[in-house]
């Protein structure tokens, strides 16, 4: 078949528990946000890879001339073209995203995953889930340094993911709580915060391990909470995880203030999500009314956008970008 415009799609994710600790082999739980999509239309142009162009995610022009933050998209196009047997193919890549980049919602993995799927589709080359994961990881290495793989998995999942040691497993529970997601409006760099935690670990492995171990243990306790439907305990663990992450130096004043505002407005718990130091917080609510009260409090505390995730895995009750 002749090359044609290929299509790739992925979704946003939130990490409920275990960010940063997952890089050190601890377990983590992430939730795909299936109504916040990232899409890529990829058209082979007949030119060379050097001439490939991107429109979307805040850049229109040649991929090679794009700022450093687009390097992982360029890498995604490169590794997928090579996998498809067209290493020097010129491509036009058009992306669309329902969610902001650099906010801990998995934009870099989602963009890489969508572009990779789009390239493979354009050349009609099949790939297994594992092969696509490995290609996405190659792109993510440019964005993150040493990614755990959690973002690459969660941004292409349909159901909540439990992840440890590079291995995902589905979680077969129904989370009977609402989750409010609030964007601080500040960009965060996962590479920067992962590097920060690494340097703390190298400087004081014993003290840093105590914190990472506790973050890992929390994820285990939360799996039990979810099975038992104990959302109050899960909320407590959420706020505890935020304070541990803040202790590791990956929170900031605005995220701390948003966590305090959410808990003050009745959240069962709240924490930063993803890399931190900018990005989003998540808050756990017992019911829909409470979720909306928490949302209002988060907007008053400076949130630029909020989304409310309903109890059923993978569905949204409503989204409102403010
Ligand atoms: C970023 O979304 C999650 C981190 O744990 C990094 C990783 O898992 O590679 C901070």
């Amino acid at each position: 078949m002749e090359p044609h415009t290929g299509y790739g799609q992925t979704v946003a994710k939130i990490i409920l528990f275990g960010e940063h600790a997952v890089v050190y082999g601890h377990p983590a739980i992430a939730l795909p946000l299936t109504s916040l999509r990232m899409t890529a239309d990829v058209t082979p142009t007949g030119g060379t890879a050097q001439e490939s162009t991107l429109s979307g995610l805040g850049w229109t022009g040649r991929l090679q001339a794009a700022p450093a933050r687009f390097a992982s998209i360029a890498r995604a196009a490169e590794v997928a073209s090579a996998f498809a047997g067209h290493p020097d193919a010129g491509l036009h890549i058009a992306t669309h995203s329902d969610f902001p980049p650099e906010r801990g919602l998995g934009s870099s993995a989602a963009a890489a995953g969508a572009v990779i799927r789009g390239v493979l589709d354009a050349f009609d080359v099949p790939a297994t889930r594992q092969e696509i994961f490995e290609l996405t990881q190659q792109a993510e290495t440019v964005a993150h340094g040493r990614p755990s793989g959690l973002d690459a998995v969660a941004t292409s999942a349909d159901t909540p993911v439990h992840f440890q040691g590079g291995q995902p497993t589905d979680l077969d529970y129904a989370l009977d709580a609402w989750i409010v997601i609030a964007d601080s409006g500040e960009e965060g760099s996962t590479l920067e915060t992962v590097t920060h935690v690494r340097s703390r670990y190298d400087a004081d492995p014993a003290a840093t391990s105590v914190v990472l171990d506790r973050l890992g243990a929390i994820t285990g306790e939360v799996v039990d909470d979810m099975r038992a439907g104990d959302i109050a305990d899960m909320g407590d663990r959420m706020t505890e995880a935020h304070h541990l992450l803040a202790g590791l130096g990956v929170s900031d004043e605005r995220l701390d203030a948003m966590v305090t505002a959410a808990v003050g407005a009745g959240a069962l718990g709240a924490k930063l999500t993803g890399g931190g130091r900018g990005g989003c917080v998540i808050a756990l609510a017992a019911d829909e009314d409470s979720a909306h009260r928490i949302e209002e409090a988060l907007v008053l505390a400076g949130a630029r956008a909020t989304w409310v995730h309903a109890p059923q895995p993978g569905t949204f009750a409503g989204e409102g970008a403010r």
Side-chain angles (χ1 to χ4, degrees):
M1 200 193 273
E2 283 296 297
H4 53 89
T5 296
Y7 178 75
Q9 185 185 306
T10 50
V11 297
K13 64 86 191 113
I14 48 173
I15 298 179
L16 284 181
F17 290 94
E19 51 274 272
H20 289 290
V22 69
V23 175
Y24 296 79
H26 292 289
I29 300 170
L31 210 61
L33 305 177
T34 51
S35 63
L36 296 182
R37 295 184 308 167
M38 172 81 72
T39 64
D41 289 297
V42 178
T43 311
T45 60
T48 66
Q50 295 265 343
E51 295 157 359
S52 289
T53 50
L54 171 69
S55 69
L57 298 165
W59 176 257
T60 299
R62 275 182 53 235
L63 250 182
Q64 290 214 336
R69 70 192 170 97
F70 295 96
S72 67
I73 295 184
R75 183 92 178 117
E78 183 185 297
V79 295
S81 300
F83 183 91
H86 297 273
D88 197 34
L91 304 169
H92 175 63
I93 300 168
T95 60
H96 172 79
S97 179
D98 294 335
F99 56 101
E102 322 263 326
R103 304 297 209 287
L105 297 179
S107 174
S108 73
V115 167
I116 288 164
R117 285 168 174 80
V119 172
L120 298 179
D121 186 36
F123 292 112
D124 289 305
V125 171
T128 63
R129 196 168 255 275
Q130 180 63 24
E131 285 167 338
I132 295 178
F133 170 77
E134 283 164 15
L135 293 172
T136 309
Q137 280 293 84
Q138 288 185 52
E140 277 284 89
T141 301
V142 177
H144 280 196
R146 265 174 57 177
S148 65
L150 176 60
D151 289 11
V153 169
T155 53
S156 60
D158 309 316
T159 53
V161 176
H162 181 270
F163 188 90
Q164 184 166 22
Q167 292 304 318
T169 42
D170 288 344
L171 276 172
D172 54 353
Y173 67 90
L175 174 60
D176 193 17
W178 295 69
I179 297 168
V180 182
I181 303 150
D183 178 8
S184 69
E186 302 289 331
E187 291 190 353
S189 160
T190 301
L191 177 58
E192 205 177 289
T193 54
V194 167
T195 305
H196 170 80
V197 175
R198 174 66 56 190
S199 53
R200 276 183 92 124
Y201 184 87
D202 290 343
D204 192 347
T208 310
S209 291
V210 169
V211 180
L212 295 170
D213 290 353
R214 179 62 197 138
L215 284 166
I218 285 176
T219 302
E221 291 165 14
V222 162
V223 170
D224 294 340
D225 288 341
M226 285 173 174
R227 288 207 185 100
D230 190 347
I231 57 168
D233 194 64
M234 183 177 160
D236 291 343
R237 300 283 82 83
M238 206 174 242
T239 308
E240 183 188 350
H242 178 76
H243 293 306
L244 290 165
L245 289 163
L248 282 178
V250 299
S251 188
D252 62 25
E253 268 179 32
R254 187 182 286 232
L255 295 177
D256 291 346
M258 284 168 57
V259 165
T260 304
V263 172
L268 299 168
K271 63 182 273 295
L272 67 83
T273 182
R277 270 202 217 147
C280 292
V281 301
I282 55 173
L284 199 67
D287 56 45
E288 186 171 5
D289 283 350
S290 168
H292 290 303
R293 275 195 303 277
I294 294 163
E295 204 182 2
E296 293 301 326
L298 283 163
V299 169
L300 283 175
R304 298 290 158 80
T306 56
W307 300 269
V308 175
H309 186 66
Q312 295 78 25
T315 57
F316 271 82
E319 298 156 17
R322 288 164 192 262

